[in-house]
Amino acid sequence: MVFLTNAVSDARIKESKMNGEHHPDAVETTIYGTRWASEDIPRFEMPEEEMPSTVAYRLVKDDLALDGNPALNLATFVTTYMEEEAEKLMTENLSKNFIDYEEYPQSAELCNRCVNMIARLFHAPMHSAHEESLGCSTVGSSEAIILATLAMKRRWQNARKEKGLPCDKPNLIMGANCQVAWHKAIRYLEIEPREVECTEDCLYMNPQKAVDLADENTIGICAILGSTYTGHYEDVKTLNTLLEKKNKENGWDIGIHVDAASGGFVAPFVNPDLEWDFRLNRVVSINVSGHKYGLTYAGIGFCVWRSAEYLPKSLVFNINYLGSDQASFTLNFSKGASNVIAQYYVLVRLGKSGFRNIMTNLTETADYLADKLKATGRFTILSEGHGRGLPLVAFRLNKKHHYDEFDIATRLRERGWIVPAYTMAPKVDYMKMLRVVVREDFSRSRCEILVRDILAALHSLDELDEKTIAKGREHRSKHSHSSIYKNPSSTNYASAKTTKANDENNDTKKKSAQIC
């Protein structure tokens, strides 16, 4: 049999296009042969016309090629690797709205299981059915921190009102090394911050100084299990002892909230005898990020309260317009169920032994990196090792050079590494440092390559003079990717930091710069 093929006429192709059809013979060979490839991708306004899905996908994908490699992003605590099975579960459940418990009851059940497992991991009281702990999933620790702070404030207000005392001047005590989420919480909820200043000898909160700041208007004290700057675990046990004594002396009922965003899934497996959680009677609530060392992709966290006594009922909303009665304590309403499902997968997939193996490996890798950097004779290590802090390495140059830690970070970026350089907390912000967060996908072999590249960066900077380095800094300031997002109209406002509010703004920006 002989097949005959028509040579499609231009008239027929034109007619198809006029009818809004794409004749198969009129389609170009690749996306880069279409008109969309020769036009700028829409940036500020929606395009008037639609485009084929394949073209849209390729244009967006090509745009994203300029992003850094997540595996080489050593700045963030957030998980950048999950198994294919976990990713498959997330993809299969992307369309589910977690808040709709009636429609997706099993997704809600998986969340309940996560809360139960985490509560037990943190030694929540299990002795009484009338004093059970409770918790909720959140988008991350920022939401969890705001919810926990709100609960402490409302509980304090209720107690003051019952006694006929004023309740308009609440304060919260925390270390100056706290993460920016705490500054958001106190500003949004109108709470006076009382910060324990850091010193060169103590780069985290001193428990005695924290308790000394407490008074009748203190709604709580925040202790951090894993400082975002140096990874230190703050001494929650000593804080608990000192606070218990002061409470008894003054008839107060001040509690402790533990910000375990990073350390909550590390300490129980690497340093199980460390007492920081609900084993201490003054710890009333704990937050943890599932998307950090909970080994789940970004968008999941948890907050757990010691018992219902510490979460006032007036903050909990009961709704029934989704088909069933539901109790809700969140800042947002709708959110995807896929991250909750992925977190449950990780918990049952790894179990305690799996988490112990991974966290032990990460701790040993961090110790190995610290030893290698120290052996160069060029750096001072600022972080704690051997499981006494997070699996990270914070370090700084031990001598003054014509270059600094920010220049080293820039050199490493040329090799693809994203290693943040930053200044310490207020009062010690003259200290510059670098930080490498050791995550699950940071292997020993990758660690060796990083050490080699750090040494290469040092050697290259040694060979440059001070003038050349200064010119490089000026060039980066003008032409870096981040510079295109600066608002020229805000220049005068930023430079005129004459009010207290502006000073607080500046501190918050400094804290949040390149630190996750």
Side-chain angles (χ1 to χ4, degrees):
M1 181 180 291
V2 177
F3 289 96
L4 296 175
T5 302
N6 284 350
V8 181
S9 66
D10 292 341
R12 211 164 101 200
I13 294 174
K14 184 177 181 181
E15 182 181 356
S16 296
K17 288 183 176 180
M18 289 178 64
N19 293 331
E21 302 171 2
H22 287 283
H23 194 281
D25 294 289
V27 176
E28 293 83 352
T29 53
T30 71
I31 289 171
Y32 300 108
T34 65
R35 65 177 176 84
W36 291 285
S38 62
E39 298 174 357
D40 193 17
I41 190 170
R43 297 172 186 269
F44 306 111
E45 187 174 348
M46 287 178 62
E48 293 295 332
E49 303 295 333
E50 58 188 307
M51 65 175 68
S53 59
T54 52
V55 174
Y57 171 79
R58 176 51 62 177
L59 291 178
V60 175
K61 183 180 176 68
D62 287 354
D63 234 19
L64 292 172
L66 295 173
D67 272 347
N69 183 346
L72 301 182
N73 181 4
L74 307 182
T76 183
F77 290 95
V78 176
T79 295
T80 55
Y81 164 80
M82 291 190 77
E83 294 176 314
E84 289 184 10
E85 291 80 4
E87 292 180 340
K88 185 177 180 182
L89 275 172
M90 294 184 75
T91 302
E92 291 170 349
N93 291 279
L94 282 174
S95 61
K96 290 183 179 178
N97 183 6
F98 175 75
I99 201 66
D100 196 345
Y101 303 155
E102 179 70 14
E103 186 69 23
Y104 309 114
Q106 203 58 28
S107 295
E109 168 61 19
L110 297 191
C111 180
N112 293 338
R113 296 176 189 177
C114 288
V115 170
N116 271 270
M117 292 179 183
I118 292 169
R120 284 171 168 78
L121 184 66
F122 296 164
H123 298 93
M126 295 292 164
H127 62 281
S128 171
H130 303 291
E131 299 178 19
E132 292 179 344
S133 64
L134 70 166
C136 62
S137 67
T138 61
V139 174
S141 276
S142 291
E143 181 185 7
I145 284 168
I146 294 175
L147 293 177
T149 303
L150 180 58
M152 287 189 289
K153 179 183 178 182
R154 181 61 59 86
R155 183 171 181 269
W156 171 82
Q157 288 176 323
N158 291 343
R160 299 279 292 179
K161 288 177 181 177
E162 287 178 5
K163 297 176 182 179
L165 298 172
C167 57
D168 59 335
K169 295 182 179 180
N171 68 70
L172 178 70
I173 299 169
M174 54 196 174
N177 59 309
C178 66
Q179 212 259 3
V180 68
W182 285 99
H183 288 266
K184 291 181 179 179
I186 58 177
R187 187 175 299 179
Y188 296 166
L189 301 177
E190 298 182 319
I191 299 169
E192 175 198 346
R194 293 191 176 179
E195 292 192 0
V196 178
E197 295 178 356
C198 296
T199 65
E200 281 196 37
D201 297 326
C202 186
L203 298 174
Y204 48 94
M205 186 179 72
N206 180 297
Q208 182 63 65
K209 291 180 179 179
V211 173
D212 289 344
L213 292 174
D215 61 22
E216 63 179 353
N217 292 319
T218 300
I219 66 172
I221 301 178
C222 161
I224 303 174
L225 192 73
S227 170
T228 192
Y229 287 95
T230 59
H232 283 94
Y233 294 156
E234 293 180 341
D235 191 350
V236 188
K237 186 174 182 179
T238 298
L239 177 64
N240 187 85
T241 301
L242 295 172
L243 184 59
E244 179 71 2
K245 180 182 177 182
K246 191 159 189 176
N247 278 337
K248 287 182 178 179
E249 291 173 350
N250 295 278
W252 298 339
D253 186 21
I254 302 171
I256 299 170
H257 174 86
V258 179
D259 179 359
S262 299
F265 281 112
V266 180
F269 304 106
V270 178
N271 196 349
D273 295 329
L274 181 67
E275 294 183 39
W276 60 272
D277 51 19
F278 291 120
R279 285 171 287 185
L280 305 175
N281 65 311
R282 279 288 141 194
V283 174
V284 300
S285 52
I286 301 172
N287 69 276
V288 66
S289 290
H291 59 226
K292 292 183 179 177
Y293 286 108
L295 308 180
T296 306
Y297 286 145
I300 183 67
F302 297 90
C303 194
V304 182
W305 285 267
R306 185 180 198 91
S307 70
E309 174 188 352
Y310 300 99
L311 178 56
K313 290 182 179 179
S314 60
L315 296 176
V316 180
F317 288 84
N318 293 288
I319 59 173
N320 63 7
Y321 51 76
L322 289 178
S324 66
D325 292 326
Q326 302 172 15
S328 175
F329 184 42
T330 60
L331 293 182
N332 61 299
F333 195 64
S334 295
K335 70 175 180 180
S338 58
N339 290 82
V340 173
I341 294 167
Q343 182 68 79
Y344 180 66
Y345 166 87
V346 171
L347 294 176
V348 298
R349 160 73 174 89
L350 294 177
K352 293 180 180 179
S353 64
F355 266 94
R356 189 176 301 110
N357 291 337
I358 291 173
M359 298 308 158
T360 299
N361 279 347
L362 299 186
T363 301
E364 291 176 352
T365 300
D367 291 342
Y368 177 80
L369 175 59
D371 290 341
K372 282 285 189 179
L373 292 173
K374 191 173 182 179
T376 66
R378 308 286 294 270
F379 297 108
T380 297
I381 306 301
L382 301 172
S383 49
E384 284 276 11
H386 307 289
R388 295 190 296 270
L390 295 176
L392 63 78
V393 182
F395 56 105
R396 62 182 300 205
L397 290 165
N398 57 18
K399 294 180 182 178
K400 186 173 179 59
H401 296 270
H402 58 286
Y403 55 85
D404 62 12
E405 288 79 1
F406 288 88
D407 297 313
I408 297 173
T410 300
R411 285 283 168 171
L412 290 174
R413 190 64 185 257
E414 293 173 3
R415 284 281 293 158
W417 299 106
I418 303 173
V419 177
Y422 53 94
T423 56
M424 256 306 292
K427 303 299 183 181
V428 284
D429 52 2
Y430 53 84
M431 293 177 62
K432 300 174 184 177
M433 63 183 70
L434 294 151
R435 188 192 67 195
V436 172
V437 177
V438 178
R439 297 191 310 278
E440 184 181 8
D441 55 346
F442 188 72
S443 63
R444 182 65 63 88
S445 60
R446 189 172 291 171
C447 178
E448 292 280 7
I449 297 171
L450 174 64
V451 172
R452 185 189 68 193
D453 286 345
I454 289 175
L455 289 173
L458 290 173
H459 294 324
S460 66
L461 289 169
D462 287 336
E463 294 175 359
L464 298 177
D465 58 39
E466 189 171 355
K467 186 176 181 180
T468 302
I469 289 176
K471 284 185 176 180
R473 292 172 183 168
E474 183 180 356
H475 178 80
R476 290 193 300 273
S477 178
K478 290 181 179 179
H479 304 291
S480 65
H481 282 291
S482 59
S483 66
I484 66 175
Y485 298 108
K486 294 178 182 177
N487 184 355
S489 64
S490 66
T491 302
N492 293 335
Y493 172 78
S495 62
K497 297 181 175 67
T498 56
T499 65
K500 180 179 178 181
N502 287 346
D503 286 336
E504 290 175 351
N505 242 355
N506 189 43
D507 287 342
T508 301
K509 290 176 182 176
K510 182 181 294 182
K511 283 174 177 292
S512 62
Q514 296 191 20
I515 305 178
C516 301

